[in-house]
Amino acid sequence: LVACGGVVEATAAVLEGRLQRVACLVRPPGHHVEPEKAMGFGLFSNVAVGARHAQSLGAKRVLIVDFDVHHGNGTQKAFYDDDSVLFVSLHRH
């Protein structure tokens, strides 16, 4: 919960003008968590929650860059049919 809440707060801080930029290095990343089920040791997809929060604060488009050894299958599934979110996964396998 702390990781997910940190992403939400960081997102709000940027969109509300309190900060210019943030980097959220949280564990677990949650990029394997699918909308319907927990996976990959995570309960929440932190970046998906952050992206939706950004949209709720007025962001029209969101870019998610996932740099990891594994593909972020959960994040891809969450936004696959959403043209307002671009998901880029840079992974080894």
Side-chain angles (χ1 to χ4, degrees):
L1 290 173
V2 174
C4 195
V7 171
V8 167
E9 177 56 28
T11 301
V14 172
L15 290 173
E16 293 169 356
R18 293 182 277 135
L19 295 173
Q20 290 184 341
R21 67 186 78 61
V22 295
C24 298
L25 307 175
V26 297
R27 298 295 297 161
H31 66 169
H32 294 301
V33 176
E34 295 186 355
E36 306 84 27
K37 63 182 172 180
M39 293 179 67
F41 304 105
L43 297 176
F44 303 102
S45 177
N46 300 312
V47 71
V49 172
R52 291 295 186 215
H53 188 57
Q55 290 175 322
S56 77
L57 295 175
K60 302 282 189 260
R61 297 179 298 167
V62 177
L63 169 64
I64 298 170
V65 178
D66 184 343
F67 181 78
D68 193 79
V69 175
H70 304 106
H71 173 62
N73 59 298
T75 306
Q76 177 181 334
K77 188 170 185 179
F79 298 109
Y80 190 78
D81 293 320
D82 186 344
D83 291 339
S84 69
V85 178
L86 176 60
F87 173 64
V88 177
S89 181
L90 306 171
H91 57 280
R92 186 171 147 202
H93 306 297

